[in-house]
Amino acid sequence: MCGIVGYVGDDAAPQILVEGLNRLAYRGYDSAGHALMNGKGIKIFKDIGSPETVGQIVMKEKVHANSGISHTRWATHGGVTPENSHPHLSNCGRIALVHNGVIENYTVLKRRLEQNGVHFHSETDTEVLCNLIAQYYEDFRAQGLEDAFLQSVFAGLREVKGSYGIAAMCSEQPGTIITARLGSSLVLGIGNGENMVASDAAAFCGRTNNIVYLDDGQVACLTGKDFEIFNLDHERVTAEICEMEAREEHDYGRGDFAHFMLKEIFEQPEALRNSMRGRFSSDGSTTKFGGLNLEAKDLRRINRILFMGCGTAWHACLLAKYIIEKLARIPVDVEYASELRYRNAPIPDDTLCFVISQSGETADTLEALREMKRKGFETLAITNVVGSTIAHEAGGGIYQHVGPEIGVASTKAFTSQVLLATMVGVYLGRLRDLSMTEGMRIVKAMHELPEQIVQVLQKTQEIEAVAKKYADFNDFLFLGRQMMFPLALEGALKLKEISYIHAEGYPAAEMKHGPLALVSPTCPSLFIAPEDDMIEKVASNIHEVKARGGPVIVVTTEGSPLCEEKGIDIITIPQTHEALMPVLASIPLQLFSYYAAVARGCNVDRPRNLAKSVTVE
Ligand code: M6R
C-alpha cells in the first residue's frame, strides 16, 4: 500500500516525481504529496485526492527543484486528511519523510517525543518517525557529526518496530535522499547523473532501466552522482545493478481504453501467450519451467502440495487444487496466507509449498512463505512482478510475464495464474500417470486458448447489455460446481470490489443448504455451467432458482442444452479442455463486473477503500 518516489539529479524534479507517482497511483490514491528541495529549503505540497490531482497543483507552482520525495497514500494510521498525507515535515523543519508500512511502537515513541516538546500535526505513525529522526539529527548536528543526517536515520530506525519503506531528505544536505526498507519494497533506479528510488520500478519508465533491488534491513544514500548501500549496522553492502526489461510509456497507459481494467481484460490473449511462451516440451506432450530449481526426481517425491495466497490469488490457488489433483493425482491443500501464518498447521514433511501473488509483495503471502521456509519446506512462487520480494525469497518460481497489471481488480494476472497452475498440473501429471495422449490434448488446447479468448472478447457488447440489465440489483449469487466453484467465488469478488454490489459465491449444490433463502426477484443468480459431467445437476439448480422467481444468468458453452432454456440470460463461450475452462469462463465474468460497475458510475480502476498491493497486514 502507498507508493514512494524520490529523485535526485540535474533535471527538474517536480515533473519527474509527478509522472513517477502517477504510475504508482494503483498502490493508493486517497491523498498524495511532494517534498521538493531547492536552495531555499524544503517545500511541501500535499492534499487529499489522487496523485494526478495533487500533481497538477504542484506543476502549476513552477517550483525549481532538483530533488524531491513523493508519496501516494492508502490510509493506515489516521483518516484521509491533508494533515495525514505525506510527506511529513519535522517540527524543526529540517527533515521530510515519506513512509510505506506500519510503525507498531509509534505510541510509545510519540509520547516520548511529546515529552521532549514535539508537537504533532497529524495522526500518523510517519510523523512520529520523522520527528524521531529529526531529534537525533539535532543531537548529532550539535555534536558536529559530518554525516549527521545518515546517522540520524540509522538511529531512528534502530528504535522502530514494524515495517517500513522510507525516503527522507534533510534541508541542510540538499541533493541527498536517504531511503531504507524493512518489509516494504523499494527499488533504486540508477541513472546518468541522477538516481531515483521508488516502491516499484514503473516509476522509472523513460529514465532508466538499471535498477538495484533493496533488501530488507538495507539503507541507501543517494546523490545525483552516486549511491551507497548499508545494512542497519552501517556496514557497506555491495549491490548488483540489474537491467530490467525495457518498458515504454504505453505499458503503463490506458491507450484508447476507458479503464485499465478493460485494457487488461483485452490484453489476455497476448498476456497468456507470454505466460506460456517457451514452456512446452518439443514433443508437445508436456510443459517445462526454467526456474523451479527442483529436479524431476525431487518433484516425483512430493506427496502433497500446499497453495497459499490472498484474494483473487487465493481463488487461483483453489483452482490449482481442483486442476492438479485431477491431472497429477497429488493431494493439494489451500490456505489463506493470512490465516496460515498464525496457525500452527500440521504440514506433512513431503509437502511442496507454493505461493501465488501477482505483486509478489502481499504482506500476508510473503510472511506465510517465510514461515514455510523457516520450517524447512521447499517453496515455489507464481508471481508477475519480476524482482519482487516473493520472487526473490521463494526457493524457485514461475514468472507470469503478463506485463504490468494496474487495475486494482485482477484480471489478466488471475487467468495467467490459473493457466500456469494448469501447466504445473500437466508437468507433475506427466511425471506420474498422465498419459502422453492426454498431455498432448491439453497442450493443444492451451495453444488454442488465446484465440478462443478473442472469440469471447468479440461478445463484449452482448455481455455489456446483460450487465446493464442487471446493474441496479444490490445482491447477487454466483454459482458453479467443481472447477466452476472457485470461479464463482472469483466472479463474486470481482463484482463486489468494483461495483459495490453485494455478491456471494457458492458451490451450486450448496444452495439448498442456506443461500436459496436469498433467492427472490431482487437477487439474481449467475451460474457458470459449461457442458460437462455436471451440466444436468446444474440445470436442476437453475430450475430451483427459477421456480422461486430468481432472475438467472448462465455462462455456458456453445451448443449446450442450457442454451435452449427459456426465461434466462445466456452468455456462451467456446468449448475447450475441461482443465482450461476456468480460464475461458473467467472472461465473461470480468466483462460482466466491469460493465455493471461502469453502469453504476463506479471508479472501476480505483475502487473505494482498496489498493492494488496490500503490503500491510
Ligand atoms: O498481489 P497479489 O496477487 O498477492 O494480491 C492479492 C490480492 O490482494 C488481490 O488478488 C486482490 O484480491 C485483488 N484486488 C482482486 O481483484
Side-chain angles (χ1 to χ4, degrees):
M1 296 325 215
C2 303
I4 289 175
V5 189
Y7 171 86
V8 51
D10 296 328
D11 269 354
Q15 171 121 14
I16 298 166
L17 290 168
V18 167
E19 283 173 5
L21 203 63
N22 288 351
R23 273 186 229 110
L24 301 193
Y26 71 88
R27 300 178 69 93
Y29 36 79
D30 56 42
S31 45
H34 305 265
L36 300 171
M37 177 98 91
N38 59 22
K40 297 184 197 115
I42 297 172
K43 273 192 161 217
I44 306 260
F45 300 87
K46 60 180 187 177
D47 208 345
I48 54 171
S50 68
E52 291 89 348
T53 315
V54 178
Q56 280 167 10
I57 299 168
V58 175
M59 293 312 291
K60 270 198 205 129
E61 293 289 324
K62 299 200 185 326
V63 181
H64 174 76
N66 297 117
S67 61
I69 51 176
S70 308
H71 188 265
T72 181
R73 182 167 186 247
W74 181 85
T76 52
H77 278 69
V80 181
T81 64
E83 295 75 29
N84 288 339
S85 316
H86 302 210
H88 289 278
L89 191 64
S90 62
N91 271 199
C92 64
R94 292 194 179 93
I95 303 291
L97 185 79
V98 292
H99 164 226
N100 181 13
V102 177
I103 308 295
E104 288 164 7
N105 57 338
Y106 87 107
T107 16
V108 181
L109 297 170
K110 187 171 184 176
R111 208 172 306 130
R112 194 179 88 201
L113 289 164
E114 278 171 337
Q115 280 160 5
N116 289 346
V118 175
H119 178 69
F120 287 94
H121 305 274
S122 77
E123 305 153 276
T124 64
D125 49 351
T126 308
E127 196 186 6
V128 174
L129 178 57
C130 182
N131 279 290
L132 183 67
I133 293 172
Q135 277 218 337
Y136 278 112
Y137 179 70
E138 295 300 310
D139 289 351
F140 295 152
R141 180 175 176 266
Q143 291 165 27
L145 246 65
E146 220 174 85
D147 56 351
F149 178 32
L150 182 60
Q151 292 292 358
S152 63
V153 174
F154 278 118
L157 293 181
R158 274 187 212 115
E159 289 211 53
V160 154
K161 288 201 184 91
S163 62
Y164 55 79
I166 60 158
M169 288 195 313
C170 173
S171 61
E172 294 181 328
Q173 202 172 322
T176 300
I177 292 173
I178 297 178
T179 180
R181 79 162 267 187
L182 191 71
S184 188
S185 67
L186 281 177
V187 194
L188 307 184
I190 310 304
N192 215 343
E194 62 183 28
N195 287 312
M196 293 182 75
V197 58
S199 309
D200 175 340
F204 310 147
C205 177
R207 295 212 77 85
T208 182
N209 294 326
N210 294 325
I211 57 171
V212 173
Y213 294 106
L214 271 197
D215 280 339
D216 271 350
Q218 291 188 338
V219 178
C221 183
L222 309 181
T223 63
K225 296 200 169 44
D226 207 1
F227 70 96
E228 286 179 299
I229 301 181
F230 307 91
N231 61 23
L232 282 175
D233 296 322
H234 201 163
E235 292 158 343
R236 189 93 34 104
V237 174
T238 43
E240 190 198 344
I241 301 181
C242 320
E243 196 179 331
M244 69 171 178
E245 199 185 327
R247 293 241 169 250
E248 305 293 332
E249 196 56 50
H250 63 78
D251 289 321
Y252 299 104
R254 278 192 279 112
D256 293 335
F257 289 92
H259 295 98
F260 281 106
M261 182 180 175
L262 191 61
K263 174 179 178 245
E264 287 155 8
I265 291 173
F266 272 80
E267 278 174 349
Q268 287 175 107
E270 194 50 29
L272 297 195
R273 270 188 205 107
N274 290 338
S275 290
M276 291 189 281
R277 184 159 296 127
R279 287 176 166 160
F280 293 110
S281 65
S282 50
D283 67 357
S285 78
T286 187
T287 56
K288 58 179 186 175
F289 299 96
L292 296 186
N293 297 335
L294 287 170
E295 304 275 322
K297 64 175 173 19
D298 303 319
L299 288 166
R300 221 177 285 121
R301 261 186 244 125
I302 298 293
N303 279 326
R304 213 166 183 92
I305 303 179
L306 170 63
F307 272 91
M308 295 159 279
C310 299
T312 285
W314 185 82
H315 296 152
C317 292
L318 198 55
L319 274 161
K321 173 182 172 68
Y322 278 83
I323 295 165
I324 293 175
E325 287 186 347
K326 187 160 192 100
L327 298 179
R329 313 288 310 143
I330 302 173
V332 177
D333 293 317
V334 179
E335 293 268 1
Y336 283 109
S338 53
E339 287 295 309
L340 183 76
R341 62 181 284 203
Y342 290 112
R343 206 157 66 80
N344 193 12
I347 302 168
D349 281 348
D350 44 6
T351 300
L352 171 66
C353 293
F354 234 116
V355 296
I356 300 186
S357 172
Q358 185 285 131
S359 61
E361 301 294 347
T362 300
D364 286 319
T365 311
L366 175 60
E367 288 307 324
L369 169 76
R370 286 177 174 161
E371 180 66 5
M372 292 304 116
K373 275 181 77 176
R374 197 185 56 72
K375 289 181 172 166
F377 289 102
E378 297 284 2
T379 58
L380 293 174
I382 295 177
T383 44
N384 188 34
V385 178
V386 176
S388 57
T389 311
I390 288 176
H392 193 64
E393 294 195 14
I398 302 170
Y399 275 126
Q400 298 183 232
H401 298 306
V402 296
E405 188 182 67
I406 292 169
V408 168
S410 186
T411 52
K412 62 177 179 176
F414 171 69
T415 47
S416 153
Q417 288 160 356
V418 176
L419 177 60
L420 287 167
T422 312
M423 293 177 79
V424 169
V426 171
Y427 180 66
L428 295 174
R430 292 286 291 120
L431 294 178
R432 292 164 188 242
D433 303 326
L434 189 72
S435 72
M436 186 169 196
T437 20
E438 186 58 7
M440 283 175 152
R441 248 172 31 92
I442 305 175
V443 168
K444 181 170 174 288
M446 284 175 174
H447 286 302
E448 289 163 0
L449 189 62
E451 199 40 51
Q452 291 184 309
I453 294 176
V454 172
Q455 289 167 30
V456 182
L457 291 172
Q458 282 163 353
K459 300 192 171 181
T460 293
Q461 281 185 341
E462 206 181 293
I463 299 168
E464 180 181 359
V466 179
K468 277 186 176 159
K469 178 173 165 188
Y470 287 89
D472 289 334
F473 286 88
N474 287 321
D475 297 287
F476 246 93
L477 286 174
F478 282 72
L479 301 156
R481 297 179 83 127
Q482 299 294 301
M483 289 186 202
M484 298 305 119
F485 157 55
L487 208 53
L489 294 176
E490 173 59 10
L493 174 65
K494 213 89 299 173
L495 186 67
K496 67 184 131 191
E497 74 178 323
I498 58 168
S499 73
Y500 319 140
I501 296 173
H502 165 238
E504 297 193 39
Y506 272 99
E510 276 295 299
M511 265 193 4
K512 291 191 281 291
H513 303 286
L516 198 55
L518 293 171
V519 167
S520 76
T522 59
C523 178
S525 299
L526 191 153
F527 285 86
I528 311 144
E531 185 168 8
D532 58 16
D533 296 348
M534 288 285 118
I535 192 142
E536 282 167 17
K537 305 227 176 271
V538 185
S540 307
N541 300 139
I542 292 172
H543 294 145
E544 285 155 10
V545 170
K546 278 175 76 180
R548 285 157 183 85
V552 172
I553 308 166
V554 177
V555 173
T556 189
T557 37
E558 287 153 7
S560 103
L562 290 175
C563 296
E564 309 302 321
E565 192 76 33
K566 297 280 176 282
I568 62 174
D569 284 294
I570 295 169
I571 299 167
T572 57
I573 55 175
Q575 189 54 271
T576 177
H577 190 283
E578 65 171 328
L580 297 174
M581 193 49 86
V583 173
L584 204 51
S586 295
I587 315 298
L589 302 185
Q590 296 168 352
L591 288 167
F592 179 81
S593 299
Y594 171 79
Y595 284 109
V598 170
R600 289 167 74 96
C602 298
N603 187 345
V604 174
D605 284 333
R606 296 186 184 171
R608 69 182 177 210
N609 307 336
L610 300 180
K612 183 77 180 158
S613 315
V614 186
T615 56
V616 288
E617 263 196 82

PDB file of all heavy atoms in Angstrom, residues 6-8 175-179 188-190 195-197 220-228:
ATOM      1  N   GLY A   6      11.367   8.967  -5.239  1.00  0.00           N
ATOM      2  CA  GLY A   6      12.338  10.005  -4.896  1.00  0.00           C
ATOM      3  C   GLY A   6      13.241  10.245  -6.094  1.00  0.00           C
ATOM      4  O   GLY A   6      13.549   9.307  -6.848  1.00  0.00           O
ATOM      5  N   TYR A   7      13.648  11.484  -6.294  1.00  0.00           N
ATOM      6  CA  TYR A   7      14.550  11.808  -7.418  1.00  0.00           C
ATOM      7  C   TYR A   7      15.621  12.766  -6.942  1.00  0.00           C
ATOM      8  O   TYR A   7      15.339  13.725  -6.220  1.00  0.00           O
ATOM      9  CB  TYR A   7      13.769  12.460  -8.566  1.00  0.00           C
ATOM     10  CG  TYR A   7      14.687  12.995  -9.649  1.00  0.00           C
ATOM     11  CD1 TYR A   7      15.126  12.160 -10.681  1.00  0.00           C
ATOM     12  CD2 TYR A   7      15.128  14.318  -9.622  1.00  0.00           C
ATOM     13  CE1 TYR A   7      15.995  12.645 -11.666  1.00  0.00           C
ATOM     14  CE2 TYR A   7      15.989  14.803 -10.612  1.00  0.00           C
ATOM     15  CZ  TYR A   7      16.421  13.958 -11.627  1.00  0.00           C
ATOM     16  OH  TYR A   7      17.278  14.411 -12.591  1.00  0.00           O
ATOM     17  N   VAL A   8      16.845  12.528  -7.393  1.00  0.00           N
ATOM     18  CA  VAL A   8      17.917  13.490  -7.167  1.00  0.00           C
ATOM     19  C   VAL A   8      18.811  13.493  -8.417  1.00  0.00           C
ATOM     20  O   VAL A   8      19.198  12.441  -8.918  1.00  0.00           O
ATOM     21  CB  VAL A   8      18.689  13.170  -5.856  1.00  0.00           C
ATOM     22  CG1 VAL A   8      19.155  11.729  -5.776  1.00  0.00           C
ATOM     23  CG2 VAL A   8      19.854  14.108  -5.650  1.00  0.00           C
ATOM     24  N   GLY A 175      20.367  17.661  -2.232  1.00  0.00           N
ATOM     25  CA  GLY A 175      20.952  16.738  -3.204  1.00  0.00           C
ATOM     26  C   GLY A 175      21.242  15.366  -2.619  1.00  0.00           C
ATOM     27  O   GLY A 175      21.989  14.581  -3.205  1.00  0.00           O
ATOM     28  N   THR A 176      20.637  15.035  -1.478  1.00  0.00           N
ATOM     29  CA  THR A 176      20.798  13.694  -0.900  1.00  0.00           C
ATOM     30  C   THR A 176      19.430  13.162  -0.483  1.00  0.00           C
ATOM     31  O   THR A 176      18.633  13.890   0.110  1.00  0.00           O
ATOM     32  CB  THR A 176      21.693  13.743   0.369  1.00  0.00           C
ATOM     33  OG1 THR A 176      22.956  14.259   0.001  1.00  0.00           O
ATOM     34  CG2 THR A 176      21.861  12.371   0.986  1.00  0.00           C
ATOM     35  N   ILE A 177      19.195  11.894  -0.831  1.00  0.00           N
ATOM     36  CA  ILE A 177      17.986  11.211  -0.337  1.00  0.00           C
ATOM     37  C   ILE A 177      18.461   9.971   0.401  1.00  0.00           C
ATOM     38  O   ILE A 177      19.319   9.229  -0.097  1.00  0.00           O
ATOM     39  CB  ILE A 177      17.053  10.807  -1.502  1.00  0.00           C
ATOM     40  CG1 ILE A 177      16.461  12.055  -2.149  1.00  0.00           C
ATOM     41  CG2 ILE A 177      15.948   9.877  -1.012  1.00  0.00           C
ATOM     42  CD1 ILE A 177      15.657  11.767  -3.411  1.00  0.00           C
ATOM     43  N   ILE A 178      17.910   9.752   1.581  1.00  0.00           N
ATOM     44  CA  ILE A 178      18.217   8.501   2.292  1.00  0.00           C
ATOM     45  C   ILE A 178      16.954   7.667   2.310  1.00  0.00           C
ATOM     46  O   ILE A 178      15.856   8.174   2.581  1.00  0.00           O
ATOM     47  CB  ILE A 178      18.750   8.771   3.710  1.00  0.00           C
ATOM     48  CG1 ILE A 178      20.068   9.539   3.573  1.00  0.00           C
ATOM     49  CG2 ILE A 178      18.976   7.459   4.463  1.00  0.00           C
ATOM     50  CD1 ILE A 178      20.715   9.925   4.862  1.00  0.00           C
ATOM     51  N   THR A 179      17.132   6.410   1.975  1.00  0.00           N
ATOM     52  CA  THR A 179      15.987   5.524   1.830  1.00  0.00           C
ATOM     53  C   THR A 179      16.299   4.201   2.515  1.00  0.00           C
ATOM     54  O   THR A 179      17.469   3.807   2.588  1.00  0.00           O
ATOM     55  CB  THR A 179      15.651   5.378   0.326  1.00  0.00           C
ATOM     56  OG1 THR A 179      14.539   4.531   0.185  1.00  0.00           O
ATOM     57  CG2 THR A 179      16.792   4.814  -0.486  1.00  0.00           C
ATOM     58  N   LEU A 188      15.979   0.953  -6.368  1.00  0.00           N
ATOM     59  CA  LEU A 188      16.731   2.145  -6.771  1.00  0.00           C
ATOM     60  C   LEU A 188      16.815   2.160  -8.291  1.00  0.00           C
ATOM     61  O   LEU A 188      17.016   1.119  -8.922  1.00  0.00           O
ATOM     62  CB  LEU A 188      18.152   2.104  -6.193  1.00  0.00           C
ATOM     63  CG  LEU A 188      18.304   1.882  -4.682  1.00  0.00           C
ATOM     64  CD1 LEU A 188      19.783   1.979  -4.287  1.00  0.00           C
ATOM     65  CD2 LEU A 188      17.474   2.884  -3.893  1.00  0.00           C
ATOM     66  N   GLY A 189      16.685   3.325  -8.874  1.00  0.00           N
ATOM     67  CA  GLY A 189      16.867   3.485 -10.319  1.00  0.00           C
ATOM     68  C   GLY A 189      18.166   4.241 -10.536  1.00  0.00           C
ATOM     69  O   GLY A 189      18.287   5.393 -10.104  1.00  0.00           O
ATOM     70  N   ILE A 190      19.117   3.589 -11.179  1.00  0.00           N
ATOM     71  CA  ILE A 190      20.450   4.185 -11.303  1.00  0.00           C
ATOM     72  C   ILE A 190      20.568   4.830 -12.683  1.00  0.00           C
ATOM     73  O   ILE A 190      20.555   4.142 -13.713  1.00  0.00           O
ATOM     74  CB  ILE A 190      21.549   3.104 -11.114  1.00  0.00           C
ATOM     75  CG1 ILE A 190      21.278   2.295  -9.822  1.00  0.00           C
ATOM     76  CG2 ILE A 190      22.936   3.721 -11.117  1.00  0.00           C
ATOM     77  CD1 ILE A 190      21.167   3.131  -8.544  1.00  0.00           C
ATOM     78  N   ASN A 195      19.747   9.770  -9.770  1.00  0.00           N
ATOM     79  CA  ASN A 195      19.342   8.498  -9.163  1.00  0.00           C
ATOM     80  C   ASN A 195      17.937   8.634  -8.610  1.00  0.00           C
ATOM     81  O   ASN A 195      17.509   9.738  -8.263  1.00  0.00           O
ATOM     82  CB  ASN A 195      20.324   8.092  -8.063  1.00  0.00           C
ATOM     83  CG  ASN A 195      21.646   7.603  -8.648  1.00  0.00           C
ATOM     84  OD1 ASN A 195      21.652   6.778  -9.562  1.00  0.00           O
ATOM     85  ND2 ASN A 195      22.752   8.144  -8.166  1.00  0.00           N
ATOM     86  N   MET A 196      17.275   7.503  -8.545  1.00  0.00           N
ATOM     87  CA  MET A 196      15.881   7.531  -8.089  1.00  0.00           C
ATOM     88  C   MET A 196      15.627   6.400  -7.104  1.00  0.00           C
ATOM     89  O   MET A 196      16.399   5.444  -7.028  1.00  0.00           O
ATOM     90  CB  MET A 196      14.921   7.389  -9.277  1.00  0.00           C
ATOM     91  CG  MET A 196      14.954   8.571 -10.225  1.00  0.00           C
ATOM     92  SD  MET A 196      13.771   8.415 -11.586  1.00  0.00           S
ATOM     93  CE  MET A 196      12.212   8.744 -10.791  1.00  0.00           C
ATOM     94  N   VAL A 197      14.538   6.498  -6.397  1.00  0.00           N
ATOM     95  CA  VAL A 197      14.069   5.395  -5.566  1.00  0.00           C
ATOM     96  C   VAL A 197      12.564   5.336  -5.748  1.00  0.00           C
ATOM     97  O   VAL A 197      11.922   6.367  -5.951  1.00  0.00           O
ATOM     98  CB  VAL A 197      14.455   5.587  -4.077  1.00  0.00           C
ATOM     99  CG1 VAL A 197      13.906   6.883  -3.500  1.00  0.00           C
ATOM    100  CG2 VAL A 197      13.984   4.401  -3.232  1.00  0.00           C
ATOM    101  N   ALA A 220      19.936   3.064   1.925  1.00  0.00           N
ATOM    102  CA  ALA A 220      20.729   3.579   0.790  1.00  0.00           C
ATOM    103  C   ALA A 220      20.796   5.093   0.858  1.00  0.00           C
ATOM    104  O   ALA A 220      19.840   5.755   1.265  1.00  0.00           O
ATOM    105  CB  ALA A 220      20.095   3.148  -0.525  1.00  0.00           C
ATOM    106  N   CYS A 221      21.946   5.597   0.462  1.00  0.00           N
ATOM    107  CA  CYS A 221      22.150   7.041   0.433  1.00  0.00           C
ATOM    108  C   CYS A 221      22.372   7.428  -1.037  1.00  0.00           C
ATOM    109  O   CYS A 221      23.319   6.953  -1.675  1.00  0.00           O
ATOM    110  CB  CYS A 221      23.375   7.360   1.291  1.00  0.00           C
ATOM    111  SG  CYS A 221      23.662   9.107   1.388  1.00  0.00           S
ATOM    112  N   LEU A 222      21.463   8.236  -1.569  1.00  0.00           N
ATOM    113  CA  LEU A 222      21.532   8.589  -2.996  1.00  0.00           C
ATOM    114  C   LEU A 222      21.910  10.045  -3.173  1.00  0.00           C
ATOM    115  O   LEU A 222      21.343  10.925  -2.513  1.00  0.00           O
ATOM    116  CB  LEU A 222      20.166   8.426  -3.668  1.00  0.00           C
ATOM    117  CG  LEU A 222      19.382   7.132  -3.512  1.00  0.00           C
ATOM    118  CD1 LEU A 222      18.088   7.244  -4.311  1.00  0.00           C
ATOM    119  CD2 LEU A 222      20.193   5.970  -4.031  1.00  0.00           C
ATOM    120  N   THR A 223      22.841  10.286  -4.084  1.00  0.00           N
ATOM    121  CA  THR A 223      23.053  11.643  -4.580  1.00  0.00           C
ATOM    122  C   THR A 223      22.880  11.556  -6.089  1.00  0.00           C
ATOM    123  O   THR A 223      22.687  10.460  -6.621  1.00  0.00           O
ATOM    124  CB  THR A 223      24.468  12.152  -4.235  1.00  0.00           C
ATOM    125  OG1 THR A 223      25.410  11.304  -4.898  1.00  0.00           O
ATOM    126  CG2 THR A 223      24.727  12.165  -2.745  1.00  0.00           C
ATOM    127  N   GLY A 224      22.997  12.671  -6.785  1.00  0.00           N
ATOM    128  CA  GLY A 224      22.845  12.626  -8.231  1.00  0.00           C
ATOM    129  C   GLY A 224      23.925  11.783  -8.896  1.00  0.00           C
ATOM    130  O   GLY A 224      23.714  11.160  -9.926  1.00  0.00           O
ATOM    131  N   LYS A 225      25.113  11.750  -8.303  1.00  0.00           N
ATOM    132  CA  LYS A 225      26.251  11.111  -8.948  1.00  0.00           C
ATOM    133  C   LYS A 225      26.516   9.703  -8.438  1.00  0.00           C
ATOM    134  O   LYS A 225      27.205   8.919  -9.070  1.00  0.00           O
ATOM    135  CB  LYS A 225      27.507  11.957  -8.692  1.00  0.00           C
ATOM    136  CG  LYS A 225      27.391  13.333  -9.324  1.00  0.00           C
ATOM    137  CD  LYS A 225      28.744  13.976  -9.499  1.00  0.00           C
ATOM    138  CE  LYS A 225      28.658  15.219 -10.365  1.00  0.00           C
ATOM    139  NZ  LYS A 225      27.518  16.104 -10.056  1.00  0.00           N
ATOM    140  N   ASP A 226      25.991   9.372  -7.254  1.00  0.00           N
ATOM    141  CA  ASP A 226      26.444   8.145  -6.607  1.00  0.00           C
ATOM    142  C   ASP A 226      25.336   7.520  -5.759  1.00  0.00           C
ATOM    143  O   ASP A 226      24.351   8.189  -5.443  1.00  0.00           O
ATOM    144  CB  ASP A 226      27.632   8.520  -5.688  1.00  0.00           C
ATOM    145  CG  ASP A 226      28.561   7.344  -5.489  1.00  0.00           C
ATOM    146  OD1 ASP A 226      28.283   6.281  -6.067  1.00  0.00           O
ATOM    147  OD2 ASP A 226      29.534   7.501  -4.737  1.00  0.00           O
ATOM    148  N   PHE A 227      25.563   6.284  -5.381  1.00  0.00           N
ATOM    149  CA  PHE A 227      24.682   5.702  -4.357  1.00  0.00           C
ATOM    150  C   PHE A 227      25.499   4.725  -3.517  1.00  0.00           C
ATOM    151  O   PHE A 227      26.449   4.113  -4.004  1.00  0.00           O
ATOM    152  CB  PHE A 227      23.477   4.989  -4.991  1.00  0.00           C
ATOM    153  CG  PHE A 227      23.830   3.719  -5.710  1.00  0.00           C
ATOM    154  CD1 PHE A 227      23.713   2.493  -5.082  1.00  0.00           C
ATOM    155  CD2 PHE A 227      24.283   3.743  -7.022  1.00  0.00           C
ATOM    156  CE1 PHE A 227      24.034   1.309  -5.744  1.00  0.00           C
ATOM    157  CE2 PHE A 227      24.620   2.569  -7.684  1.00  0.00           C
ATOM    158  CZ  PHE A 227      24.496   1.353  -7.054  1.00  0.00           C
ATOM    159  N   GLU A 228      25.146   4.639  -2.256  1.00  0.00           N
ATOM    160  CA  GLU A 228      25.812   3.693  -1.356  1.00  0.00           C
ATOM    161  C   GLU A 228      24.731   2.938  -0.598  1.00  0.00           C
ATOM    162  O   GLU A 228      23.710   3.525  -0.228  1.00  0.00           O
ATOM    163  CB  GLU A 228      26.656   4.431  -0.320  1.00  0.00           C
ATOM    164  CG  GLU A 228      27.936   5.032  -0.862  1.00  0.00           C
ATOM    165  CD  GLU A 228      28.673   5.766   0.247  1.00  0.00           C
ATOM    166  OE1 GLU A 228      28.080   6.725   0.788  1.00  0.00           O
ATOM    167  OE2 GLU A 228      29.794   5.372   0.583  1.00  0.00           O
TER     168      GLU A 228
END
